[in-house]
Amino acid sequence: MGERVILQTNGAVDHALRESGTLESWQEQVGRLAVGNSRLVLALSTAFAAPLLYPTGAESGGFHFRGASSTGKSTALVVAGSAWGGGGIRGYVRTWRATSNGLEGVAAMHCDCLLCLDEMGQVDGRDAGQIAYMLANGVGKARATRSGEARPPAEWRLLFLSSGELSLADKIAEDGRGRKVAAGQQVRIVDIPADAGAGLGLFENLHGFPSADAFARHLKMAAGEHYGHPSRTFVRTLVDNFDAIAPAVKGYIDEFLAENCPPGADGQVSRVAARFGLVAAGGEMATTAGVLPWTPGEATKAAARCFQDWLAARGGVEPAEEREAIAAVRRFIELHGMSRFEPMGELVPTDSVGSPIEVRINNRAGFRRRAANGGTEYLVMPEAWRTEVCAGMDAGAVAKALHQRGYLITGGDGKPQVKTRLPHIASPVRCYIVSSDILGEPEPVSYAERDFG
């Protein structure tokens, strides 16, 4: 572009954007060996998709490889990071072990580049969700100077890769305080099972190496010797063809969505699918530029595979809030179905002569009765529904979600609450009737009908 840019800072800049070896040596020892390994291909494609954010106006975000230790998660980050740099003790990969304030500076130094954060387990659960939002939103905290004036916050654009034994949701919930991951956080950090299902951990093709461990050790060693050249060559190509980037990437994303995003999928799903499409575009464009030694379609195939694995682990294409609402009601019934729901009708226990036995229920949340299909319906009192069953959620939205899935029985007027006569209460009471289907298959009517095989 002919313009010389000088970066002036208050101190030395800690970065890993260094070079070693040659592009050809990196292609032979690192890039070529990613072929046939969906997670490795996705990680490397993400590295080349990062500089596409600016010309396309795409949002920042990341992918989190989740799985047991020694499955190859860190190897994927090392391989992807080698496209941008390395050297030193840590190489290109950073760790989650930092405060959100500390990671602001790290994120700013990786603007328009790839950021790799290893071992989410090292960060406190309370900070994990905030960091996820911060990295993807691209802006740090607003602060004041000593004079009280507003200081410009740090800003960045980036794609990041993360690894850990826990998912973001599990990490946030690990402190036992009932915190839940928000749908926006799950969209910003896409959780991908690290195990590719081939019995080799993260890998599927060892390229002749005797074991997954030997393959991982070679990749780490090679990435520590050959790094930095791929990104510079790719960015040079982007600069020379800058005006063509946005329409080309849009074409890749539209094609990826058409082929892989299920019809009728929620906006959260299509948003994640678009990021996989962006990553596929990065990999395919780097392949066309001669940077990645892959055949055309390799990056797209890997992105599609990882997207389908994410979708399967997610459990469906409906909104995350709807799935959480159903899970919350199911969890409450699983925990308290017998202890806090008073039996009524034929579920009331009787003695040897057929007389009903009084059942003492502490902290009663409602009643349970036999359903027509042989299962058990749970009748939840309005206040218990609002303050306990739907604690922390919109009670009306939860009822709507259950009704749409056929788990809530409504009255003739279509309202979520049904007027029902209940034991010990003179007048009919409006309550929420949860179908037995929410717990799975209908329960057999009699003991003899049960299959214990």
Side-chain angles (χ1 to χ4, degrees):
M1 296 169 68
E3 180 180 358
R4 185 181 182 189
V5 178
I6 299 177
L7 175 65
Q8 183 175 358
T9 64
N10 294 328
V13 177
D14 179 21
H15 69 85
L17 297 171
R18 309 180 187 95
E19 293 175 279
S20 179
T22 64
L23 174 61
E24 292 72 22
S25 63
W26 180 88
Q27 290 174 329
E28 178 62 25
Q29 297 297 322
V30 180
R32 176 183 63 86
L33 299 179
V35 174
N37 293 287
S38 59
R39 273 59 173 169
L40 285 181
V41 170
L42 181 80
L44 271 174
S45 297
T46 303
F48 293 101
L52 301 179
L53 296 178
Y54 168 60
T56 61
E59 63 179 1
S60 298
F63 299 95
H64 176 68
F65 292 114
R66 167 194 41 87
S69 61
S70 301
T71 56
K73 304 184 301 295
S74 297
T75 303
L77 270 60
V78 170
V79 167
S82 70
W84 282 94
I89 296 176
R90 296 175 307 189
Y92 189 83
V93 178
R94 303 297 186 107
T95 73
W96 275 91
R97 188 177 176 80
T99 64
S100 58
N101 292 343
L103 281 176
E104 283 188 23
V106 173
M109 284 302 304
H110 288 76
C111 183
D112 290 320
C113 301
L114 174 72
L115 172 63
C116 297
L117 295 175
D118 198 16
E119 293 299 337
M120 183 185 280
Q122 294 182 340
V123 70
D124 188 277
R126 292 173 295 180
D127 295 332
Q130 296 177 1
I131 292 173
Y133 266 126
M134 180 190 74
L135 291 177
N137 286 340
V139 61
K141 290 182 180 179
R143 297 179 176 86
T145 63
R146 292 182 179 180
S147 63
E149 297 178 351
R151 179 189 303 171
E155 296 181 335
W156 55 83
R157 287 179 302 265
L158 54 80
L159 290 178
F160 62 94
L161 294 173
S162 167
S163 72
E165 297 184 21
L166 299 177
S167 66
L168 177 63
D170 293 336
K171 188 63 185 176
I172 292 175
E174 72 176 0
D175 65 355
R177 299 183 183 181
R179 290 188 175 93
K180 301 174 183 177
V181 64
Q185 291 168 319
Q186 291 176 316
V187 170
R188 285 166 170 79
I189 296 187
V190 180
D191 192 69
I192 302 174
D195 193 330
L200 301 170
L202 182 130
F203 311 117
E204 296 145 277
N205 184 347
L206 301 183
H207 292 275
F209 284 83
S211 66
D213 179 62
F215 186 48
R217 281 189 281 108
H218 169 82
L219 287 172
K220 287 184 176 180
M221 181 181 68
E225 297 175 356
H226 315 282
Y227 53 80
H229 294 282
S231 62
R232 287 157 177 80
T233 304
F234 184 60
V235 169
R236 217 172 285 125
T237 302
L238 295 180
V239 171
D240 293 340
N241 302 276
F242 189 82
D243 292 338
I245 294 174
V249 172
K250 183 179 184 301
Y252 279 115
I253 294 176
D254 289 345
E255 184 177 352
F256 187 89
L257 289 172
E259 294 180 356
N260 296 280
C261 191
D266 177 68
Q268 296 167 3
V269 174
S270 59
R271 185 175 166 188
V272 171
R275 183 175 306 143
F276 277 100
L278 174 69
V279 168
E284 296 296 343
M285 292 173 71
T287 300
T288 302
V291 179
L292 284 170
W294 303 345
T295 57
E298 182 72 27
T300 302
K301 181 173 67 174
R305 164 69 191 278
C306 292
F307 172 69
Q308 294 302 327
D309 288 348
W310 169 80
L311 195 60
R314 185 180 188 270
V317 298
E318 69 278 357
E321 296 89 346
E322 181 177 320
R323 292 187 297 109
E324 178 57 32
I326 295 170
V329 177
R330 182 182 291 119
R331 182 166 56 248
F332 188 89
I333 294 176
E334 288 175 347
L335 292 173
H336 309 295
M338 297 294 291
S339 62
R340 298 190 59 188
F341 288 86
E342 182 177 339
M344 58 183 292
E346 62 181 275
L347 292 183
V348 176
T350 58
D351 58 20
S352 58
V353 296
S355 299
I357 300 175
E358 183 177 354
V359 179
R360 180 181 294 274
I361 301 293
N362 294 321
N363 299 317
R364 184 179 64 192
F367 296 82
R368 52 189 170 91
R369 68 186 182 189
R370 180 70 69 190
N373 66 352
T376 301
E377 294 175 346
Y378 296 87
L379 290 73
V380 188
M381 308 298 284
E383 285 304 309
W385 177 269
R386 183 177 61 85
T387 61
E388 294 193 68
V389 178
C390 303
M393 297 181 292
D394 183 335
V398 174
K400 181 179 179 180
L402 263 68
H403 175 56
Q404 290 176 342
R405 294 290 291 273
Y407 294 147
L408 191 71
I409 300 172
T410 59
D413 54 4
K415 294 182 178 179
Q417 297 181 12
V418 180
K419 269 192 175 183
T420 309
R421 288 197 173 274
L422 301 174
H424 324 302
I425 302 176
S427 302
V429 176
R430 283 195 174 273
C431 57
Y432 296 90
I433 304 178
V434 181
S435 167
S436 61
D437 293 340
I438 197 170
L439 296 179
E441 295 298 322
E443 179 181 322
V445 175
S446 66
Y447 184 90
E449 292 178 39
R450 298 174 184 265
D451 181 9
F452 293 97

